[in-house]
Amino acid sequence: MNQNFTVSGMTCGHCEKAVTRAIKQVDPQAEVRIDRSKNLVEVQSQQAREALAKAISEEGYAVAA
């Protein structure tokens, strides 16, 4: 299932790695693509959207509804 998140606060490659790592802790099989210029995080995962959004938030990034 493809899920898109609008995530603000990502400013560098380290931020992208932190978001990717957080998502992979919830779903190690997840495919993650990040377009920092658009604040877009695309996740291919079977996990619940809420669980993925919570993982990103816990890394310190704002996830829009």
PDB file of all heavy atoms in Angstrom, residues 19-47:
ATOM      1  N   VAL A  19      14.302   9.888   9.197  1.00  0.00           N
ATOM      2  CA  VAL A  19      12.920   9.545   8.865  1.00  0.00           C
ATOM      3  C   VAL A  19      12.851   8.132   8.304  1.00  0.00           C
ATOM      4  O   VAL A  19      11.996   7.330   8.697  1.00  0.00           O
ATOM      5  CB  VAL A  19      12.320  10.575   7.878  1.00  0.00           C
ATOM      6  CG1 VAL A  19      10.991  10.093   7.314  1.00  0.00           C
ATOM      7  CG2 VAL A  19      12.163  11.927   8.559  1.00  0.00           C
ATOM      8  N   THR A  20      13.769   7.799   7.408  1.00  0.00           N
ATOM      9  CA  THR A  20      13.796   6.456   6.823  1.00  0.00           C
ATOM     10  C   THR A  20      14.010   5.408   7.908  1.00  0.00           C
ATOM     11  O   THR A  20      13.312   4.388   7.946  1.00  0.00           O
ATOM     12  CB  THR A  20      14.908   6.354   5.756  1.00  0.00           C
ATOM     13  OG1 THR A  20      14.643   7.316   4.727  1.00  0.00           O
ATOM     14  CG2 THR A  20      14.970   4.961   5.160  1.00  0.00           C
ATOM     15  N   ARG A  21      14.951   5.659   8.814  1.00  0.00           N
ATOM     16  CA  ARG A  21      15.246   4.718   9.899  1.00  0.00           C
ATOM     17  C   ARG A  21      14.017   4.520  10.792  1.00  0.00           C
ATOM     18  O   ARG A  21      13.686   3.394  11.173  1.00  0.00           O
ATOM     19  CB  ARG A  21      16.434   5.210  10.707  1.00  0.00           C
ATOM     20  CG  ARG A  21      16.907   4.249  11.772  1.00  0.00           C
ATOM     21  CD  ARG A  21      18.179   4.713  12.468  1.00  0.00           C
ATOM     22  NE  ARG A  21      18.046   6.074  13.002  1.00  0.00           N
ATOM     23  CZ  ARG A  21      18.742   7.130  12.588  1.00  0.00           C
ATOM     24  NH1 ARG A  21      19.637   7.006  11.625  1.00  0.00           N
ATOM     25  NH2 ARG A  21      18.550   8.320  13.126  1.00  0.00           N
ATOM     26  N   ALA A  22      13.313   5.604  11.096  1.00  0.00           N
ATOM     27  CA  ALA A  22      12.119   5.518  11.940  1.00  0.00           C
ATOM     28  C   ALA A  22      11.049   4.647  11.279  1.00  0.00           C
ATOM     29  O   ALA A  22      10.430   3.802  11.937  1.00  0.00           O
ATOM     30  CB  ALA A  22      11.572   6.915  12.211  1.00  0.00           C
ATOM     31  N   ILE A  23      10.853   4.838   9.984  1.00  0.00           N
ATOM     32  CA  ILE A  23       9.856   4.051   9.258  1.00  0.00           C
ATOM     33  C   ILE A  23      10.266   2.585   9.224  1.00  0.00           C
ATOM     34  O   ILE A  23       9.449   1.688   9.440  1.00  0.00           O
ATOM     35  CB  ILE A  23       9.662   4.608   7.834  1.00  0.00           C
ATOM     36  CG1 ILE A  23       8.991   5.986   7.921  1.00  0.00           C
ATOM     37  CG2 ILE A  23       8.849   3.655   6.969  1.00  0.00           C
ATOM     38  CD1 ILE A  23       9.010   6.774   6.630  1.00  0.00           C
ATOM     39  N   LYS A  24      11.543   2.333   8.987  1.00  0.00           N
ATOM     40  CA  LYS A  24      12.027   0.945   8.898  1.00  0.00           C
ATOM     41  C   LYS A  24      11.951   0.225  10.246  1.00  0.00           C
ATOM     42  O   LYS A  24      11.897  -0.999  10.280  1.00  0.00           O
ATOM     43  CB  LYS A  24      13.457   0.922   8.352  1.00  0.00           C
ATOM     44  CG  LYS A  24      13.556   1.416   6.923  1.00  0.00           C
ATOM     45  CD  LYS A  24      13.798   0.293   6.012  1.00  0.00           C
ATOM     46  CE  LYS A  24      14.036   0.794   4.593  1.00  0.00           C
ATOM     47  NZ  LYS A  24      13.805  -0.265   3.647  1.00  0.00           N
ATOM     48  N   GLN A  25      11.939   0.969  11.346  1.00  0.00           N
ATOM     49  CA  GLN A  25      11.772   0.324  12.651  1.00  0.00           C
ATOM     50  C   GLN A  25      10.356  -0.216  12.793  1.00  0.00           C
ATOM     51  O   GLN A  25      10.138  -1.224  13.454  1.00  0.00           O
ATOM     52  CB  GLN A  25      12.099   1.293  13.783  1.00  0.00           C
ATOM     53  CG  GLN A  25      13.579   1.537  13.915  1.00  0.00           C
ATOM     54  CD  GLN A  25      13.921   2.556  14.990  1.00  0.00           C
ATOM     55  OE1 GLN A  25      13.077   3.314  15.442  1.00  0.00           O
ATOM     56  NE2 GLN A  25      15.186   2.568  15.385  1.00  0.00           N
ATOM     57  N   VAL A  26       9.396   0.460  12.173  1.00  0.00           N
ATOM     58  CA  VAL A  26       8.007  -0.005  12.197  1.00  0.00           C
ATOM     59  C   VAL A  26       7.812  -1.124  11.182  1.00  0.00           C
ATOM     60  O   VAL A  26       7.130  -2.104  11.451  1.00  0.00           O
ATOM     61  CB  VAL A  26       7.033   1.172  11.901  1.00  0.00           C
ATOM     62  CG1 VAL A  26       5.604   0.681  11.798  1.00  0.00           C
ATOM     63  CG2 VAL A  26       7.164   2.239  12.965  1.00  0.00           C
ATOM     64  N   ASP A  27       8.416  -0.979  10.005  1.00  0.00           N
ATOM     65  CA  ASP A  27       8.283  -1.964   8.926  1.00  0.00           C
ATOM     66  C   ASP A  27       9.619  -2.104   8.194  1.00  0.00           C
ATOM     67  O   ASP A  27       9.929  -1.317   7.304  1.00  0.00           O
ATOM     68  CB  ASP A  27       7.199  -1.530   7.944  1.00  0.00           C
ATOM     69  CG  ASP A  27       7.003  -2.532   6.820  1.00  0.00           C
ATOM     70  OD1 ASP A  27       7.704  -3.559   6.777  1.00  0.00           O
ATOM     71  OD2 ASP A  27       6.136  -2.275   5.964  1.00  0.00           O
ATOM     72  N   PRO A  28      10.418  -3.114   8.576  1.00  0.00           N
ATOM     73  CA  PRO A  28      11.733  -3.296   7.944  1.00  0.00           C
ATOM     74  C   PRO A  28      11.665  -3.511   6.430  1.00  0.00           C
ATOM     75  O   PRO A  28      12.630  -3.264   5.728  1.00  0.00           O
ATOM     76  CB  PRO A  28      12.283  -4.542   8.643  1.00  0.00           C
ATOM     77  CG  PRO A  28      11.538  -4.621   9.938  1.00  0.00           C
ATOM     78  CD  PRO A  28      10.183  -4.055   9.661  1.00  0.00           C
ATOM     79  N   GLN A  29      10.509  -3.948   5.921  1.00  0.00           N
ATOM     80  CA  GLN A  29      10.364  -4.201   4.487  1.00  0.00           C
ATOM     81  C   GLN A  29       9.905  -2.961   3.714  1.00  0.00           C
ATOM     82  O   GLN A  29       9.787  -2.999   2.495  1.00  0.00           O
ATOM     83  CB  GLN A  29       9.347  -5.319   4.233  1.00  0.00           C
ATOM     84  CG  GLN A  29       9.502  -6.566   5.086  1.00  0.00           C
ATOM     85  CD  GLN A  29      10.909  -7.105   5.144  1.00  0.00           C
ATOM     86  OE1 GLN A  29      11.572  -7.209   4.117  1.00  0.00           O
ATOM     87  NE2 GLN A  29      11.372  -7.439   6.328  1.00  0.00           N
ATOM     88  N   ALA A  30       9.631  -1.886   4.414  1.00  0.00           N
ATOM     89  CA  ALA A  30       9.086  -0.685   3.767  1.00  0.00           C
ATOM     90  C   ALA A  30      10.056  -0.116   2.742  1.00  0.00           C
ATOM     91  O   ALA A  30      11.265  -0.148   2.922  1.00  0.00           O
ATOM     92  CB  ALA A  30       8.769   0.385   4.817  1.00  0.00           C
ATOM     93  N   GLU A  31       9.482   0.408   1.658  1.00  0.00           N
ATOM     94  CA  GLU A  31      10.254   1.149   0.668  1.00  0.00           C
ATOM     95  C   GLU A  31       9.954   2.625   0.908  1.00  0.00           C
ATOM     96  O   GLU A  31       8.797   3.024   0.957  1.00  0.00           O
ATOM     97  CB  GLU A  31       9.843   0.749  -0.741  1.00  0.00           C
ATOM     98  CG  GLU A  31      10.213  -0.680  -1.093  1.00  0.00           C
ATOM     99  CD  GLU A  31       9.795  -1.038  -2.502  1.00  0.00           C
ATOM    100  OE1 GLU A  31       9.782  -0.148  -3.380  1.00  0.00           O
ATOM    101  OE2 GLU A  31       9.463  -2.205  -2.718  1.00  0.00           O
ATOM    102  N   VAL A  32      11.010   3.420   1.070  1.00  0.00           N
ATOM    103  CA  VAL A  32      10.849   4.832   1.409  1.00  0.00           C
ATOM    104  C   VAL A  32      11.512   5.696   0.354  1.00  0.00           C
ATOM    105  O   VAL A  32      12.664   5.464  -0.015  1.00  0.00           O
ATOM    106  CB  VAL A  32      11.483   5.133   2.794  1.00  0.00           C
ATOM    107  CG1 VAL A  32      11.286   6.588   3.169  1.00  0.00           C
ATOM    108  CG2 VAL A  32      10.933   4.211   3.869  1.00  0.00           C
ATOM    109  N   ARG A  33      10.757   6.684  -0.136  1.00  0.00           N
ATOM    110  CA  ARG A  33      11.306   7.686  -1.053  1.00  0.00           C
ATOM    111  C   ARG A  33      10.992   9.053  -0.475  1.00  0.00           C
ATOM    112  O   ARG A  33       9.849   9.299  -0.063  1.00  0.00           O
ATOM    113  CB  ARG A  33      10.691   7.559  -2.442  1.00  0.00           C
ATOM    114  CG  ARG A  33      11.283   6.426  -3.256  1.00  0.00           C
ATOM    115  CD  ARG A  33      10.781   6.513  -4.663  1.00  0.00           C
ATOM    116  NE  ARG A  33       9.325   6.662  -4.642  1.00  0.00           N
ATOM    117  CZ  ARG A  33       8.491   5.962  -5.380  1.00  0.00           C
ATOM    118  NH1 ARG A  33       8.945   5.100  -6.232  1.00  0.00           N
ATOM    119  NH2 ARG A  33       7.201   6.147  -5.290  1.00  0.00           N
ATOM    120  N   ILE A  34      11.983   9.919  -0.464  1.00  0.00           N
ATOM    121  CA  ILE A  34      11.808  11.243   0.115  1.00  0.00           C
ATOM    122  C   ILE A  34      12.182  12.308  -0.907  1.00  0.00           C
ATOM    123  O   ILE A  34      13.235  12.236  -1.526  1.00  0.00           O
ATOM    124  CB  ILE A  34      12.673  11.404   1.388  1.00  0.00           C
ATOM    125  CG1 ILE A  34      12.221  10.398   2.450  1.00  0.00           C
ATOM    126  CG2 ILE A  34      12.596  12.834   1.913  1.00  0.00           C
ATOM    127  CD1 ILE A  34      13.057  10.397   3.708  1.00  0.00           C
ATOM    128  N   ASP A  35      11.276  13.275  -1.071  1.00  0.00           N
ATOM    129  CA  ASP A  35      11.547  14.458  -1.887  1.00  0.00           C
ATOM    130  C   ASP A  35      11.538  15.641  -0.920  1.00  0.00           C
ATOM    131  O   ASP A  35      10.487  16.203  -0.601  1.00  0.00           O
ATOM    132  CB  ASP A  35      10.474  14.624  -2.966  1.00  0.00           C
ATOM    133  CG  ASP A  35      10.789  15.778  -3.912  1.00  0.00           C
ATOM    134  OD1 ASP A  35      11.588  16.673  -3.518  1.00  0.00           O
ATOM    135  OD2 ASP A  35      10.242  15.803  -5.022  1.00  0.00           O
ATOM    136  N   ARG A  36      12.712  15.984  -0.424  1.00  0.00           N
ATOM    137  CA  ARG A  36      12.848  17.012   0.605  1.00  0.00           C
ATOM    138  C   ARG A  36      12.352  18.374   0.117  1.00  0.00           C
ATOM    139  O   ARG A  36      11.779  19.144   0.884  1.00  0.00           O
ATOM    140  CB  ARG A  36      14.303  17.092   1.059  1.00  0.00           C
ATOM    141  CG  ARG A  36      14.496  17.787   2.368  1.00  0.00           C
ATOM    142  CD  ARG A  36      15.899  17.601   2.912  1.00  0.00           C
ATOM    143  NE  ARG A  36      16.910  18.156   2.038  1.00  0.00           N
ATOM    144  CZ  ARG A  36      18.024  17.521   1.679  1.00  0.00           C
ATOM    145  NH1 ARG A  36      18.286  16.324   2.123  1.00  0.00           N
ATOM    146  NH2 ARG A  36      18.898  18.097   0.890  1.00  0.00           N
ATOM    147  N   SER A  37      12.540  18.679  -1.165  1.00  0.00           N
ATOM    148  CA  SER A  37      12.120  19.977  -1.694  1.00  0.00           C
ATOM    149  C   SER A  37      10.602  20.149  -1.638  1.00  0.00           C
ATOM    150  O   SER A  37      10.098  21.272  -1.571  1.00  0.00           O
ATOM    151  CB  SER A  37      12.615  20.167  -3.129  1.00  0.00           C
ATOM    152  OG  SER A  37      11.976  19.249  -3.996  1.00  0.00           O
ATOM    153  N   LYS A  38       9.868  19.050  -1.644  1.00  0.00           N
ATOM    154  CA  LYS A  38       8.398  19.091  -1.582  1.00  0.00           C
ATOM    155  C   LYS A  38       7.874  18.660  -0.212  1.00  0.00           C
ATOM    156  O   LYS A  38       6.665  18.556  -0.020  1.00  0.00           O
ATOM    157  CB  LYS A  38       7.801  18.169  -2.649  1.00  0.00           C
ATOM    158  CG  LYS A  38       8.094  18.598  -4.063  1.00  0.00           C
ATOM    159  CD  LYS A  38       7.472  17.640  -5.044  1.00  0.00           C
ATOM    160  CE  LYS A  38       7.805  18.039  -6.478  1.00  0.00           C
ATOM    161  NZ  LYS A  38       7.310  17.043  -7.434  1.00  0.00           N
ATOM    162  N   ASN A  39       8.789  18.377   0.737  1.00  0.00           N
ATOM    163  CA  ASN A  39       8.409  17.860   2.060  1.00  0.00           C
ATOM    164  C   ASN A  39       7.581  16.584   1.943  1.00  0.00           C
ATOM    165  O   ASN A  39       6.691  16.336   2.758  1.00  0.00           O
ATOM    166  CB  ASN A  39       7.640  18.902   2.874  1.00  0.00           C
ATOM    167  CG  ASN A  39       8.488  20.078   3.259  1.00  0.00           C
ATOM    168  OD1 ASN A  39       9.694  19.952   3.440  1.00  0.00           O
ATOM    169  ND2 ASN A  39       7.880  21.232   3.372  1.00  0.00           N
ATOM    170  N   LEU A  40       7.879  15.778   0.942  1.00  0.00           N
ATOM    171  CA  LEU A  40       7.090  14.583   0.662  1.00  0.00           C
ATOM    172  C   LEU A  40       7.851  13.323   1.042  1.00  0.00           C
ATOM    173  O   LEU A  40       9.016  13.153   0.671  1.00  0.00           O
ATOM    174  CB  LEU A  40       6.741  14.534  -0.832  1.00  0.00           C
ATOM    175  CG  LEU A  40       5.928  13.342  -1.293  1.00  0.00           C
ATOM    176  CD1 LEU A  40       4.537  13.347  -0.670  1.00  0.00           C
ATOM    177  CD2 LEU A  40       5.831  13.333  -2.806  1.00  0.00           C
ATOM    178  N   VAL A  41       7.163  12.452   1.783  1.00  0.00           N
ATOM    179  CA  VAL A  41       7.704  11.136   2.107  1.00  0.00           C
ATOM    180  C   VAL A  41       6.717  10.112   1.570  1.00  0.00           C
ATOM    181  O   VAL A  41       5.552  10.088   1.971  1.00  0.00           O
ATOM    182  CB  VAL A  41       7.888  10.952   3.639  1.00  0.00           C
ATOM    183  CG1 VAL A  41       8.387   9.551   3.951  1.00  0.00           C
ATOM    184  CG2 VAL A  41       8.846  11.989   4.193  1.00  0.00           C
ATOM    185  N   GLU A  42       7.184   9.284   0.633  1.00  0.00           N
ATOM    186  CA  GLU A  42       6.359   8.217   0.068  1.00  0.00           C
ATOM    187  C   GLU A  42       6.812   6.904   0.677  1.00  0.00           C
ATOM    188  O   GLU A  42       7.997   6.592   0.688  1.00  0.00           O
ATOM    189  CB  GLU A  42       6.523   8.145  -1.448  1.00  0.00           C
ATOM    190  CG  GLU A  42       6.033   9.361  -2.188  1.00  0.00           C
ATOM    191  CD  GLU A  42       6.229   9.220  -3.681  1.00  0.00           C
ATOM    192  OE1 GLU A  42       6.042   8.113  -4.220  1.00  0.00           O
ATOM    193  OE2 GLU A  42       6.601  10.234  -4.303  1.00  0.00           O
ATOM    194  N   VAL A  43       5.841   6.150   1.185  1.00  0.00           N
ATOM    195  CA  VAL A  43       6.153   4.888   1.850  1.00  0.00           C
ATOM    196  C   VAL A  43       5.308   3.782   1.244  1.00  0.00           C
ATOM    197  O   VAL A  43       4.086   3.891   1.161  1.00  0.00           O
ATOM    198  CB  VAL A  43       5.877   4.964   3.372  1.00  0.00           C
ATOM    199  CG1 VAL A  43       6.258   3.658   4.047  1.00  0.00           C
ATOM    200  CG2 VAL A  43       6.611   6.135   4.001  1.00  0.00           C
ATOM    201  N   GLN A  44       5.969   2.713   0.834  1.00  0.00           N
ATOM    202  CA  GLN A  44       5.289   1.512   0.372  1.00  0.00           C
ATOM    203  C   GLN A  44       5.345   0.541   1.543  1.00  0.00           C
ATOM    204  O   GLN A  44       6.410   0.013   1.878  1.00  0.00           O
ATOM    205  CB  GLN A  44       5.999   0.936  -0.859  1.00  0.00           C
ATOM    206  CG  GLN A  44       5.304  -0.240  -1.491  1.00  0.00           C
ATOM    207  CD  GLN A  44       4.041   0.171  -2.237  1.00  0.00           C
ATOM    208  OE1 GLN A  44       3.917   1.283  -2.704  1.00  0.00           O
ATOM    209  NE2 GLN A  44       3.107  -0.733  -2.332  1.00  0.00           N
ATOM    210  N   SER A  45       4.196   0.350   2.221  1.00  0.00           N
ATOM    211  CA  SER A  45       4.172  -0.453   3.438  1.00  0.00           C
ATOM    212  C   SER A  45       2.761  -0.960   3.699  1.00  0.00           C
ATOM    213  O   SER A  45       1.778  -0.314   3.332  1.00  0.00           O
ATOM    214  CB  SER A  45       4.637   0.387   4.635  1.00  0.00           C
ATOM    215  OG  SER A  45       4.455  -0.311   5.842  1.00  0.00           O
ATOM    216  N   GLN A  46       2.677  -2.102   4.377  1.00  0.00           N
ATOM    217  CA  GLN A  46       1.388  -2.645   4.782  1.00  0.00           C
ATOM    218  C   GLN A  46       0.998  -2.186   6.188  1.00  0.00           C
ATOM    219  O   GLN A  46      -0.083  -2.495   6.671  1.00  0.00           O
ATOM    220  CB  GLN A  46       1.423  -4.183   4.726  1.00  0.00           C
ATOM    221  CG  GLN A  46       1.646  -4.737   3.331  1.00  0.00           C
ATOM    222  CD  GLN A  46       0.594  -4.253   2.339  1.00  0.00           C
ATOM    223  OE1 GLN A  46      -0.592  -4.249   2.630  1.00  0.00           O
ATOM    224  NE2 GLN A  46       1.038  -3.823   1.156  1.00  0.00           N
ATOM    225  N   GLN A  47       1.902  -1.470   6.848  1.00  0.00           N
ATOM    226  CA  GLN A  47       1.623  -0.997   8.206  1.00  0.00           C
ATOM    227  C   GLN A  47       0.588   0.127   8.186  1.00  0.00           C
ATOM    228  O   GLN A  47       0.429   0.833   7.198  1.00  0.00           O
ATOM    229  CB  GLN A  47       2.914  -0.495   8.865  1.00  0.00           C
ATOM    230  CG  GLN A  47       3.918  -1.578   9.136  1.00  0.00           C
ATOM    231  CD  GLN A  47       3.402  -2.603  10.129  1.00  0.00           C
ATOM    232  OE1 GLN A  47       2.808  -2.251  11.137  1.00  0.00           O
ATOM    233  NE2 GLN A  47       3.627  -3.863   9.839  1.00  0.00           N
TER     234      GLN A  47
END
